[in-house]
Amino acid sequence: MKVLLIGGSSDLGRELGKVLPYEFTNFDIKNDNLFVPDFIQGSLTKKEDLLFLKEKHFDVIVHIAGVHPILKDSNNEDLMQSVNVDGVKNVLESIWNPLNFIFISSSAAKNTKSPYGKTKAQAEKIVEYYATAQKQGAFALRTKGFTPYYSPSYKQFIDYANWAITGSVHILDVVKAVDLCLKNPRLTYEMFVVDGKQDFTPQDQKKWSKQNLLKKYPEALDLVNELTIPKSAPTYSKPENSVGYEPSFGFSKVVDEFLKKKKHS
């Protein structure tokens, strides 16, 4: 299967290239994915850079690229509109033969009062229109944040853990969701939420405190002691989709990553 990654130099693009056994091509403004050697340089904001879509054959496009609030220039609403909305439209309008499309959206799309959420919701509508008009399959994956611990967005591991304890999704679960979409193509549009796994029992949630987390993860006392504990345990939505996605990782995965990192430091 030939898969085009729009924004393949991202963290998700690298994980897809590393984990999944497909024939990937990376389209991005910079070549920063050692796991996907086939690279096409360009910007999705420039239609002339997308002309290759009329010449090269792909079975599926996975659209990752986007301007996110965690990134530089995140407050630039014009840039968000240009990349998150117009960029998606440019890609879809450049496709010569209809093909399946997987759009990495965001749970922020349900909050259209935020500039970021508004652009993601608009992009979802564009993808849905494409799927309906072309009678072609398309998925929109509404993910929670999935920035991995090794991202330069974090100054140190505890920053990643503090964010994860509020209820994030692990990047490998997003990889899993994309893989299931690739293996189970549809002839219609489907949007579903990609959430994380609930590692905290009802008893954990009832007695939510740092003290109880220390008892739950005695092997990682130094990590838990540093945590900024939210007022309540993280909540996760129940998976509802046609491809069989269920999350595999919760906060226990973060603890595992911490212990491995500590062992090799």
Side-chain angles (χ1 to χ4, degrees), residues 200-209 212 231-233:
F200 301 109
T201 66
Q203 189 71 4
D204 290 331
Q205 296 173 54
K206 185 177 180 181
K207 296 184 177 182
W208 185 251
S209 67
N212 281 305
K231 291 182 179 180
S232 58

PDB file of all heavy atoms in Angstrom, residues 200-209 212 231-233:
ATOM      1  N   PHE A 200      -6.987   4.175  35.670  1.00  0.00           N
ATOM      2  CA  PHE A 200      -7.366   4.393  37.056  1.00  0.00           C
ATOM      3  C   PHE A 200      -8.739   3.789  37.337  1.00  0.00           C
ATOM      4  O   PHE A 200      -9.724   4.104  36.662  1.00  0.00           O
ATOM      5  CB  PHE A 200      -7.358   5.894  37.376  1.00  0.00           C
ATOM      6  CG  PHE A 200      -6.012   6.522  37.146  1.00  0.00           C
ATOM      7  CD1 PHE A 200      -5.808   7.399  36.087  1.00  0.00           C
ATOM      8  CD2 PHE A 200      -4.942   6.226  37.970  1.00  0.00           C
ATOM      9  CE1 PHE A 200      -4.570   7.970  35.860  1.00  0.00           C
ATOM     10  CE2 PHE A 200      -3.694   6.792  37.757  1.00  0.00           C
ATOM     11  CZ  PHE A 200      -3.508   7.662  36.702  1.00  0.00           C
ATOM     12  N   THR A 201      -8.786   2.905  38.298  1.00  0.00           N
ATOM     13  CA  THR A 201     -10.016   2.213  38.659  1.00  0.00           C
ATOM     14  C   THR A 201     -10.996   3.198  39.311  1.00  0.00           C
ATOM     15  O   THR A 201     -10.603   4.290  39.747  1.00  0.00           O
ATOM     16  CB  THR A 201      -9.719   1.082  39.651  1.00  0.00           C
ATOM     17  OG1 THR A 201      -9.244   1.669  40.886  1.00  0.00           O
ATOM     18  CG2 THR A 201      -8.663   0.133  39.094  1.00  0.00           C
ATOM     19  N   PRO A 202     -12.278   2.808  39.412  1.00  0.00           N
ATOM     20  CA  PRO A 202     -13.232   3.663  40.141  1.00  0.00           C
ATOM     21  C   PRO A 202     -12.759   3.981  41.558  1.00  0.00           C
ATOM     22  O   PRO A 202     -12.984   5.083  42.061  1.00  0.00           O
ATOM     23  CB  PRO A 202     -14.514   2.813  40.145  1.00  0.00           C
ATOM     24  CG  PRO A 202     -14.419   1.996  38.890  1.00  0.00           C
ATOM     25  CD  PRO A 202     -12.958   1.674  38.766  1.00  0.00           C
ATOM     26  N   GLN A 203     -12.087   3.014  42.182  1.00  0.00           N
ATOM     27  CA  GLN A 203     -11.551   3.241  43.533  1.00  0.00           C
ATOM     28  C   GLN A 203     -10.429   4.284  43.495  1.00  0.00           C
ATOM     29  O   GLN A 203     -10.350   5.151  44.368  1.00  0.00           O
ATOM     30  CB  GLN A 203     -11.027   1.918  44.102  1.00  0.00           C
ATOM     31  CG  GLN A 203     -10.640   1.991  45.581  1.00  0.00           C
ATOM     32  CD  GLN A 203     -11.840   2.104  46.504  1.00  0.00           C
ATOM     33  OE1 GLN A 203     -12.979   2.065  46.058  1.00  0.00           O
ATOM     34  NE2 GLN A 203     -11.580   2.264  47.792  1.00  0.00           N
ATOM     35  N   ASP A 204      -9.570   4.198  42.468  1.00  0.00           N
ATOM     36  CA  ASP A 204      -8.513   5.199  42.298  1.00  0.00           C
ATOM     37  C   ASP A 204      -9.118   6.588  42.150  1.00  0.00           C
ATOM     38  O   ASP A 204      -8.622   7.565  42.730  1.00  0.00           O
ATOM     39  CB  ASP A 204      -7.677   4.899  41.049  1.00  0.00           C
ATOM     40  CG  ASP A 204      -6.815   3.658  41.193  1.00  0.00           C
ATOM     41  OD1 ASP A 204      -6.422   3.332  42.325  1.00  0.00           O
ATOM     42  OD2 ASP A 204      -6.533   3.018  40.159  1.00  0.00           O
ATOM     43  N   GLN A 205     -10.155   6.658  41.342  1.00  0.00           N
ATOM     44  CA  GLN A 205     -10.784   7.950  41.053  1.00  0.00           C
ATOM     45  C   GLN A 205     -11.481   8.518  42.289  1.00  0.00           C
ATOM     46  O   GLN A 205     -11.491   9.727  42.508  1.00  0.00           O
ATOM     47  CB  GLN A 205     -11.779   7.783  39.909  1.00  0.00           C
ATOM     48  CG  GLN A 205     -11.114   7.374  38.601  1.00  0.00           C
ATOM     49  CD  GLN A 205     -12.114   7.058  37.519  1.00  0.00           C
ATOM     50  OE1 GLN A 205     -12.998   7.846  37.198  1.00  0.00           O
ATOM     51  NE2 GLN A 205     -11.990   5.873  36.918  1.00  0.00           N
ATOM     52  N   LYS A 206     -12.058   7.615  43.084  1.00  0.00           N
ATOM     53  CA  LYS A 206     -12.754   8.051  44.290  1.00  0.00           C
ATOM     54  C   LYS A 206     -11.773   8.593  45.324  1.00  0.00           C
ATOM     55  O   LYS A 206     -12.054   9.574  46.023  1.00  0.00           O
ATOM     56  CB  LYS A 206     -13.545   6.873  44.875  1.00  0.00           C
ATOM     57  CG  LYS A 206     -14.414   7.236  46.066  1.00  0.00           C
ATOM     58  CD  LYS A 206     -15.210   6.016  46.536  1.00  0.00           C
ATOM     59  CE  LYS A 206     -16.085   6.378  47.729  1.00  0.00           C
ATOM     60  NZ  LYS A 206     -16.864   5.194  48.215  1.00  0.00           N
ATOM     61  N   LYS A 207     -10.610   7.931  45.417  1.00  0.00           N
ATOM     62  CA  LYS A 207      -9.597   8.341  46.401  1.00  0.00           C
ATOM     63  C   LYS A 207      -8.420   9.026  45.700  1.00  0.00           C
ATOM     64  O   LYS A 207      -7.252   8.720  45.964  1.00  0.00           O
ATOM     65  CB  LYS A 207      -9.110   7.126  47.190  1.00  0.00           C
ATOM     66  CG  LYS A 207     -10.189   6.476  48.031  1.00  0.00           C
ATOM     67  CD  LYS A 207      -9.630   5.327  48.863  1.00  0.00           C
ATOM     68  CE  LYS A 207     -10.689   4.729  49.762  1.00  0.00           C
ATOM     69  NZ  LYS A 207     -10.153   3.633  50.607  1.00  0.00           N
ATOM     70  N   TRP A 208      -8.737   9.933  44.829  1.00  0.00           N
ATOM     71  CA  TRP A 208      -7.725  10.591  43.997  1.00  0.00           C
ATOM     72  C   TRP A 208      -6.835  11.505  44.834  1.00  0.00           C
ATOM     73  O   TRP A 208      -7.291  12.497  45.411  1.00  0.00           O
ATOM     74  CB  TRP A 208      -8.402  11.390  42.893  1.00  0.00           C
ATOM     75  CG  TRP A 208      -7.466  12.020  41.909  1.00  0.00           C
ATOM     76  CD1 TRP A 208      -7.178  13.351  41.784  1.00  0.00           C
ATOM     77  CD2 TRP A 208      -6.685  11.347  40.920  1.00  0.00           C
ATOM     78  NE1 TRP A 208      -6.272  13.559  40.776  1.00  0.00           N
ATOM     79  CE2 TRP A 208      -5.943  12.340  40.218  1.00  0.00           C
ATOM     80  CE3 TRP A 208      -6.529  10.020  40.551  1.00  0.00           C
ATOM     81  CZ2 TRP A 208      -5.077  12.027  39.173  1.00  0.00           C
ATOM     82  CZ3 TRP A 208      -5.665   9.704  39.513  1.00  0.00           C
ATOM     83  CH2 TRP A 208      -4.958  10.704  38.841  1.00  0.00           C
ATOM     84  N   SER A 209      -5.560  11.163  44.918  1.00  0.00           N
ATOM     85  CA  SER A 209      -4.604  11.976  45.669  1.00  0.00           C
ATOM     86  C   SER A 209      -3.197  11.522  45.300  1.00  0.00           C
ATOM     87  O   SER A 209      -2.993  10.414  44.776  1.00  0.00           O
ATOM     88  CB  SER A 209      -4.810  11.820  47.178  1.00  0.00           C
ATOM     89  OG  SER A 209      -4.477  10.503  47.590  1.00  0.00           O
ATOM     90  N   ASN A 212      -2.244   8.230  47.112  1.00  0.00           N
ATOM     91  CA  ASN A 212      -2.709   6.981  46.510  1.00  0.00           C
ATOM     92  C   ASN A 212      -1.968   6.665  45.215  1.00  0.00           C
ATOM     93  O   ASN A 212      -1.783   5.494  44.874  1.00  0.00           O
ATOM     94  CB  ASN A 212      -4.218   7.049  46.259  1.00  0.00           C
ATOM     95  CG  ASN A 212      -5.016   6.794  47.532  1.00  0.00           C
ATOM     96  OD1 ASN A 212      -4.847   5.770  48.195  1.00  0.00           O
ATOM     97  ND2 ASN A 212      -5.861   7.739  47.894  1.00  0.00           N
ATOM     98  N   LYS A 231      -7.109  18.182  40.126  1.00  0.00           N
ATOM     99  CA  LYS A 231      -8.108  18.026  41.189  1.00  0.00           C
ATOM    100  C   LYS A 231      -8.847  16.699  41.102  1.00  0.00           C
ATOM    101  O   LYS A 231      -9.300  16.167  42.121  1.00  0.00           O
ATOM    102  CB  LYS A 231      -9.102  19.194  41.146  1.00  0.00           C
ATOM    103  CG  LYS A 231      -8.496  20.529  41.544  1.00  0.00           C
ATOM    104  CD  LYS A 231      -9.543  21.624  41.519  1.00  0.00           C
ATOM    105  CE  LYS A 231      -8.938  22.966  41.946  1.00  0.00           C
ATOM    106  NZ  LYS A 231      -9.947  24.056  41.925  1.00  0.00           N
ATOM    107  N   SER A 232      -8.990  16.190  39.894  1.00  0.00           N
ATOM    108  CA  SER A 232      -9.696  14.921  39.726  1.00  0.00           C
ATOM    109  C   SER A 232      -8.956  14.046  38.722  1.00  0.00           C
ATOM    110  O   SER A 232      -8.116  14.532  37.954  1.00  0.00           O
ATOM    111  CB  SER A 232     -11.133  15.158  39.242  1.00  0.00           C
ATOM    112  OG  SER A 232     -11.145  15.873  38.028  1.00  0.00           O
ATOM    113  N   ALA A 233      -9.253  12.768  38.732  1.00  0.00           N
ATOM    114  CA  ALA A 233      -8.615  11.825  37.820  1.00  0.00           C
ATOM    115  C   ALA A 233      -8.990  12.143  36.379  1.00  0.00           C
ATOM    116  O   ALA A 233     -10.078  12.671  36.113  1.00  0.00           O
ATOM    117  CB  ALA A 233      -9.042  10.402  38.166  1.00  0.00           C
TER     118      ALA A 233
END
